[in-house]
Amino acid sequence: NEQFALNMQWYFRLLFFCAVVPFVESQTFRFGEVQWTKCSAGFYDPYFPSVCSNRTNPLSVGVTVNAAWVKTANIDTNMVQKISDEVTAFNNGTSRRLTLSRAPSQPQVTRKIGWRNGLGDASTLPPVTSVVNCPVPPCSTDVTSSNYGDPENYYFAIDRVSWTYDGQTVYARYSFQLTFSSAGEYTVYFSGCCRASSYTGVQNNYANGFYVRAGIVITAQLKPSIPASSIRFQMPDEVIVRQGGNGYDYGSCSATSASLLRFALQAYHPEDAYMSSIRFRTGTVNEMGRFRCLEWRTNSDGSTLLLVAGGPGDSASNRVCPLCVSGATGPRCDSCPDQRASNDPAEACYWGPTGVTVEDSGVVDVDVSAVQSGPWQLSAVAYCVGCFPGASGEVGVTVDFLVRVVSTLGALQLNDKTLDSAAPVGLYQGSAAAAAHPFPVPPPLTTRDNPLVIQCGRGVFRWTAPGATSPAVEVTSVPVIFYGPNDGRGACASAIYGIKEITQVNDLPLGVSLTSTLANKTLGSRYFSWIPRCEIYSNVGVFMFCFKAQDTSGVYLVSTASPVDVGAAASASPSCLYVRSLPPSTDPIPPPVVKSPPAPTDACNAGCCDCCSLATTCACQYQGNCCPLLFLANQARHRITLLAVDSNTDNSVDWSVTYPSRVSTNVGGYTLPGPTLLPTKLGCQQALAACASQSTALLESCSAAAFDGCSPDATLAEQAATGLVWDLSNQTGYVCPASASSPGSVGGWAPCSSTATNSTKVIITPYLVCYKALQLPPAQIDVAAYTQVYGRGPVNDSCTSCVVVRVEELPFFVDYEPNNAPFGTQPDGTAFQIGLGRSLNINFMVGSSVVDSKARASILPDPGAPAGSVLSDVTKVDFRGTADGKANLQVLTFTPRPSQLGMIFWLCMAALESGAVSSPRCYTIEVVQTLVAWTLTRPCPWYLLFSGGASDGAGSGGIGVTGDCPNTGGIEVRVGCHYAYNFSAVASTDVYQLEIRIDSTPSCPVGFCGPDLPALSV
């Protein structure tokens, strides 16, 4: 029986070997990590936009799996079977999709993305389905959708394709949403099989499964007091170190004696409060992948069983993973360190690279004297100390990558500042590229506390050197520079090689743009620019932009990730730049500024009263909100120019102008076209600014010429100019009946002379023109999403300004309105009242389209003006509706005489200029007399009270007597009593001041006073 069991054990091994080897030999998985952010904290992945589209559930998280595979030909047994074709489609710009085979029918290699209850090794499978099938359930059935899912495949999105030691590597990610049923502790994971086989040179864990995971603690608060996101690793898929040291770049140079090479794990926490709490350690064998071997199996009845090594149900036939991964010549368990330690032939074979340790600070020490050349799989864990009070265990994230030890010498460094004047960096300082960027060369050494700072919605980076007193440097693109160290390049006579390529290490935020690599023998550079999108939470916050470089001399000359000197606590030449993207300011957004003049008005008067000058019965004309007037004349061409400038040069400006397309008149059927809106021109501020010093009379012509002569500049989109043109040159102010073929005929009428037979005077109905400057955000901003996130839009238009356009003959009366107060002419038909001893002043304001007009108001002889009237000389006053910004003001003063009391006079006025006469305006003036009577005087005299008059029920002497009190009466008073009397009178007009006084010389009416009574009267 023992022999039979042993034979069966090897039989199962052989079956697994035969089934798995074809899969193993074709696998190229080389990197993996998992990260998460609560939906309420703003998770967003532009490749998977459905994930966290609703941010209101505090139990929802967005999770991203980042992974990398070497590009091969299409191989059916590869977990990315169509990688060659899909990379071609990606390079052609037709698709980002990378299909990952899940292989659900082959449990030995099944790839799964899912979640578990609990943290780390203590986590368990939940009683519900916990395997992810698509980004957000329910899964879409549209194969082109980013939310498409099926049980056979995961559909990753390719982020980039770049070079590695093994050739082209494909970097892709898969984002999905989990909504948990309750707050608690969870683990999300990405697992499967297999890693690359030993034939690829991998020294450990070859052909084994992988298992990367991240712990999550969920609370029910939208804004929890614990981290709302995980730590982010920004590691390359492979870190190369050289046994001869990182200081030399060519094989003929002497190696250093140091055997310890060090580099930093590139990781950060998006939330400032937790950055200093990050700690690191080497991953356990379970975190290298062994955990998936113990995860579960399916029983014959369909139930699942969690396996624990040596626990119930654990046997060779029940393991999901291989018992001991076999190589080409047979089992390799004898070389597995943890296998030998446990002395358990049933253990899968996982072990970390000998001589490689991860310090608590995140520095990785590689003893190159103890580590065999070749790539080694390394799992590292980052966790947050004290960040999750009460958690049952460590809340960490795992990264799975390669460390390649090569015997060839050399290294490249990013933005190092240690070179002396003889270093190759001197060549860069003298180049045109350096002169274009005010950053110090090399670029700034950023830290978490002193990052590059950029405002979302804008494309300007700011950086201040530590302790600097000068203003911050501002640039729109940041250089990334790599070069060979001075002690290597300077020492090697054959060191003529240059930088071949610089590439990003991590997925960069949406919208970051990278230029191509610029090589200059020993130095290479790239530039990145960015306009963060405020409405996307994932574009706001702190980021690490990490890079690596390759030398032209060979694939082994690749920069080491943030190399750390022996004895140093951190890297002096980090391969990453810190960038902080700020959210939008909470201050009000400054709108575009309407430059005026020459605009007729820049008042914020939307909804102003547009009928003030149309009729005396206008409902709103006395509410103090009359629209300003713009007067135009017939037989002339008129034009206004509008300019607006935005202080934010990242915004664009345009104009919104409303006006009627046709204008009505008093002649039935005869209408005129409205104004013509000129096309908007960008970048004309400087041209129009030259007109600011011109007189008002020349503003229109100067602005028109400047606008017409301006060449638009699309790079100055924050400056926008437009204009309105009225062509009334063919309008005479009169029309005659005409056939449809007559020039200018509209509705059976055509312009004609005022003296023509059957001519009819045309009165154009005044109409409203309104305009405002529109602030347009950068094209990439989703205005609806921005509004949803911040509760307000990303733009702020200028206020709306309106004017009423009136076409008048020359000259014309300027109507009174609050904008012209205290001047302006009262409407036709106004009735005035004046009393004796007072003077009436009536303003007459006359406008004209003639510069320096001599127009004036004149009293028409019929009916003339009342005696005592005087019309003043002309005074020039400011008025924006005329050609030169001036109007002529005259005042008619009338002081009535006693003989005119009670009389009503007519007054008619006309505006005159060079023989032209306006329509008359006529008024009435009444010299009023006033009748005065007592009213509501109480108490009435005693005789009326006791002569049968009605009482209010108060009894004898009550005060509710009806009827008027007579002008004379007597009041009976008694000694020792207090009395108060009311006296009230009313006048028939309000032109006089009414007073009540005590008569200084009273007399007693006959019959009311006796010789024993004092005389009293009022």
Side-chain angles (χ1 to χ4, degrees):
N1 289 338
E2 291 180 359
Q3 183 62 45
F4 175 76
L6 183 61
N7 290 340
M8 289 302 296
Q9 184 178 19
W10 283 106
Y11 171 73
F12 282 118
R13 289 187 182 183
L14 181 60
L15 283 180
F16 177 82
F17 175 77
C18 295
V20 172
V21 164
F23 292 96
V24 172
E25 296 302 325
S26 60
Q27 303 312 317
T28 61
F29 174 83
R30 60 192 289 117
F31 176 84
E33 59 113 6
V34 179
Q35 56 185 240
W36 59 268
T37 298
K38 289 190 69 170
C39 291
S40 59
F43 178 94
Y44 178 75
D45 187 336
Y47 301 159
F48 299 89
S50 61
V51 177
C52 289
S53 59
N54 185 338
R55 301 189 178 99
T56 60
N57 191 337
L59 302 179
S60 295
V61 296
V63 184
T64 298
V65 173
N66 292 298
W69 293 267
V70 174
K71 177 181 175 293
T72 65
N74 292 338
I75 303 174
D76 290 341
T77 55
N78 195 334
M79 68 175 78
V80 280
Q81 300 169 350
K82 305 174 184 178
I83 190 169
S84 180
D85 291 345
E86 290 176 328
V87 168
T88 298
F90 172 77
N91 291 334
N92 292 337
T94 58
S95 173
R96 287 188 175 273
R97 177 167 289 182
L98 181 67
T99 305
L100 172 67
S101 172
R102 295 170 63 176
S105 62
Q106 304 171 59
Q108 301 95 332
V109 299
T110 299
R111 272 72 69 172
K112 290 189 299 181
I113 297 174
W115 61 277
R116 299 167 64 90
N117 287 323
L119 298 172
D121 289 353
S123 64
T124 60
L125 284 172
V128 296
T129 300
S130 62
V131 176
V132 172
N133 293 309
C134 63
V136 183
C139 303
S140 172
T141 58
D142 179 3
V143 296
T144 64
S145 170
S146 63
N147 199 46
Y148 176 69
D150 65 52
E152 296 294 330
N153 301 289
Y154 286 120
Y155 298 97
F156 279 61
I158 299 175
D159 181 76
R160 64 195 186 280
V161 178
S162 64
W163 51 266
T164 61
Y165 188 95
D166 297 315
Q168 281 191 315
T169 293
V170 182
Y171 302 87
R173 67 177 184 255
Y174 184 83
S175 290
F176 57 96
Q177 180 176 324
L178 295 176
T179 300
F180 299 107
S181 59
S182 63
E185 299 174 348
Y186 301 93
T187 296
V188 289
Y189 66 89
F190 173 41
S191 71
C193 190
C194 301
R195 300 182 188 279
S197 72
S198 60
Y199 298 118
T200 63
V202 178
Q203 301 297 305
N204 66 322
N205 301 335
Y206 40 80
N208 282 350
F210 54 88
Y211 193 91
V212 290
R213 65 190 180 190
I216 303 178
V217 177
I218 291 293
T219 64
Q221 291 80 35
L222 283 174
K223 295 182 178 180
S225 57
I226 59 175
S229 56
S230 66
I231 299 169
R232 268 76 163 132
F233 275 107
Q234 307 289 53
M235 291 301 296
D237 57 294
E238 183 177 60
V239 177
I240 297 180
V241 295
R242 276 145 289 277
Q243 291 177 334
N246 287 335
Y248 293 82
D249 63 352
Y250 192 68
S252 62
C253 299
S254 300
T256 64
S257 58
S259 62
L260 185 64
L261 296 180
R262 311 169 78 216
F263 64 89
L265 290 174
Q266 298 167 171
Y268 75 104
H269 201 290
E271 300 169 69
D272 291 336
Y274 307 109
M275 185 63 188
S276 61
S277 301
I278 298 177
R279 302 293 184 270
F280 301 88
R281 62 174 175 81
T282 305
T284 65
V285 290
N286 278 350
E287 288 159 335
M288 295 176 195
R290 193 183 73 165
F291 189 79
R292 73 175 295 273
C293 301
L294 309 177
E295 185 181 359
W296 59 270
R297 72 171 178 84
T298 303
N299 296 324
S300 58
D301 62 357
S303 62
T304 60
L305 175 67
L306 179 66
L307 296 178
V308 178
D314 183 21
S315 67
S317 60
N318 283 343
R319 295 285 179 85
V320 173
C321 291
L323 303 179
C324 204
V325 177
S326 299
T329 59
R332 293 178 54 90
C333 295
D334 56 343
S335 64
C336 184
D338 76 310
Q339 162 69 25
R340 292 197 303 269
S342 64
N343 198 27
D344 180 1
E347 283 295 327
C349 192
Y350 284 89
W351 77 98
T354 304
V356 178
T357 58
V358 177
E359 298 180 12
D360 185 74
S361 64
V363 174
V364 179
D365 298 319
V366 182
D367 186 351
V368 292
S369 65
V371 182
Q372 182 179 343
S373 296
W376 292 79
Q377 186 273 324
L378 177 63
S379 293
V381 176
Y383 58 97
C384 199
V385 176
C387 302
F388 298 90
S392 62
E394 176 189 278
V395 184
V397 296
T398 307
V399 64
D400 188 321
F401 65 102
L402 299 177
V403 176
R404 182 182 293 271
V405 179
V406 296
S407 57
T408 310
L409 311 178
L412 300 173
Q413 300 178 33
L414 167 66
N415 300 346
D416 192 287
K417 297 181 181 234
T418 59
L419 300 189
D420 57 31
S421 59
V425 74
L427 299 174
Y428 179 74
Q429 289 175 329
S431 68
H437 292 277
F439 273 132
V441 179
L445 183 64
T446 62
T447 63
R448 176 65 178 251
D449 296 328
N450 189 33
L452 292 164
V453 178
I454 189 170
Q455 176 72 59
C456 77
R458 306 195 67 180
V460 179
F461 294 92
R462 289 186 294 109
W463 184 76
T464 304
T469 58
S470 57
V473 174
E474 294 190 354
V475 293
T476 56
S477 62
V478 179
V480 176
I481 305 170
F482 279 87
Y483 52 85
N486 186 44
D487 60 349
R489 291 288 182 188
C492 301
S494 301
I496 59 173
Y497 304 106
I499 305 301
K500 178 180 180 181
E501 186 174 358
I502 299 172
T503 188
Q504 68 198 70
V505 163
N506 56 292
D507 295 358
L508 298 178
L510 178 68
V512 174
S513 175
L514 277 170
T515 64
S516 57
T517 302
L518 301 174
N520 183 356
K521 283 195 174 181
T522 61
L523 181 141
S525 63
R526 294 185 77 171
Y527 298 88
F528 66 83
S529 56
W530 188 26
I531 301 179
R533 292 176 57 176
C534 300
E535 74 277 18
I536 297 177
Y537 276 128
S538 60
N539 261 202
V540 176
V542 176
F543 303 88
M544 286 180 74
F545 290 9
C546 300
F547 301 89
K548 63 179 180 179
Q550 179 187 3
D551 194 282
T552 56
S553 59
V555 294
Y556 54 83
L557 276 177
V558 178
S559 59
T560 298
S562 299
V564 180
D565 294 335
V566 175
S571 176
S573 301
S575 303
C576 306
L577 295 169
Y578 279 99
V579 178
R580 182 183 294 275
S581 171
L582 301 176
S585 172
T586 57
D587 295 335
I589 300 172
V593 177
V594 177
K595 299 292 185 177
S596 178
T601 181
D602 56 4
C604 300
N605 61 355
C608 61
C609 182
D610 62 352
C611 58
C612 292
S613 61
L614 302 186
T616 58
T617 58
C618 179
C620 58
Q621 65 176 326
Y622 299 114
Q623 297 177 3
N625 189 32
C626 290
C627 300
L629 299 175
L630 175 63
F631 288 96
L632 307 177
N634 286 318
Q635 298 181 312
R637 181 181 172 91
H638 305 273
R639 179 165 170 174
I640 63 172
T641 303
L642 302 172
L643 170 68
V645 179
D646 200 311
S647 59
N648 185 349
T649 57
D650 292 321
N651 288 333
S652 301
V653 176
D654 202 354
W655 282 95
S656 172
V657 184
T658 58
Y659 52 89
S661 58
R662 302 291 299 182
V663 180
S664 63
T665 70
N666 64 317
V667 180
Y670 186 71
T671 61
L672 296 175
T676 299
L677 181 65
L678 299 175
T680 299
K681 284 186 175 183
L682 302 178
C684 296
Q685 179 184 13
Q686 185 174 359
L688 289 168
C691 297
S693 60
Q694 297 292 331
S695 64
T696 305
L698 299 177
L699 268 178
E700 178 178 332
S701 59
C702 178
S703 299
F707 179 90
D708 294 340
C710 172
S711 298
D713 185 349
T715 64
L716 297 175
E718 74 279 7
Q719 308 170 14
T722 186
L724 286 170
V725 176
W726 289 264
D727 190 353
L728 302 175
S729 54
N730 294 326
Q731 300 300 317
T732 62
Y734 292 85
V735 291
C736 296
S739 64
S741 59
S742 299
S745 175
V746 177
W749 301 88
C752 63
S753 170
S754 61
T755 59
T757 304
N758 298 327
S759 65
T760 299
K761 180 174 176 56
V762 176
I763 300 175
I764 299 175
T765 304
Y767 57 90
L768 195 66
V769 172
C770 295
Y771 46 86
K772 68 176 179 179
L774 305 178
Q775 188 178 65
L776 307 179
Q780 69 271 18
I781 290 182
D782 185 328
V783 175
Y786 186 106
T787 304
Q788 179 183 5
V789 171
Y790 298 104
R792 68 176 188 181
V795 295
N796 186 18
D797 300 334
S798 76
C799 64
T800 299
S801 299
C802 299
V803 295
V804 170
V805 177
R806 286 184 56 177
V807 179
E808 294 283 358
E809 299 178 45
L810 293 178
F812 53 86
F813 283 114
V814 177
D815 291 309
Y816 173 83
E817 57 177 87
N819 305 83
N820 300 326
F823 309 127
T825 308
Q826 294 292 342
D828 183 47
T830 301
F832 298 98
Q833 288 184 327
I834 186 66
L836 289 177
R838 290 164 173 77
S839 295
L840 174 66
N841 294 317
I842 306 176
N843 292 331
F844 294 96
M845 191 170 174
V846 179
S848 171
S849 292
V850 176
V851 176
D852 194 22
S853 168
K854 300 300 188 293
R856 60 183 296 122
S858 176
I859 301 173
L860 296 182
D862 185 14
S869 300
V870 176
L871 183 63
S872 71
D873 291 334
V874 171
T875 300
K876 291 285 185 179
V877 294
D878 293 330
F879 178 64
R880 299 180 70 175
T882 56
D884 59 359
K886 298 291 183 180
N888 296 340
L889 176 67
Q890 293 170 269
V891 180
L892 183 141
T893 302
F894 169 54
T895 304
R897 302 168 183 174
S899 60
Q900 294 172 316
L901 185 65
M903 300 179 66
I904 297 176
F905 301 94
W906 280 91
L907 170 68
C908 291
M909 306 290 295
L912 306 177
E913 183 175 38
S914 302
V917 182
S918 72
S919 300
R921 294 204 175 185
C922 295
Y923 311 97
T924 60
I925 303 174
E926 180 184 5
V927 183
V928 297
Q929 58 183 344
T930 297
L931 298 178
V932 180
W934 294 107
T935 179
L936 300 177
T937 298
R938 296 292 183 270
C940 278
W942 61 268
Y943 79 89
L944 185 58
L945 293 174
F946 297 101
S947 62
S951 173
D952 65 353
S956 178
I959 63 172
V961 180
T962 60
D964 292 329
C965 293
N967 292 339
T968 303
I971 300 172
E972 182 178 358
V973 298
R974 301 183 187 279
V975 175
C977 296
H978 175 75
Y979 298 87
Y981 301 135
N982 297 327
F983 297 93
S984 177
V986 64
S988 60
T989 69
D990 60 358
V991 298
Y992 298 101
Q993 181 177 341
L994 182 62
E995 297 178 353
I996 297 176
R997 290 182 240 169
I998 296 177
D999 191 344
S1000 60
T1001 58
S1003 61
C1004 186
V1006 177
F1008 286 91
C1009 298
D1012 298 327
L1013 298 175
L1016 295 174
S1017 178
V1018 293

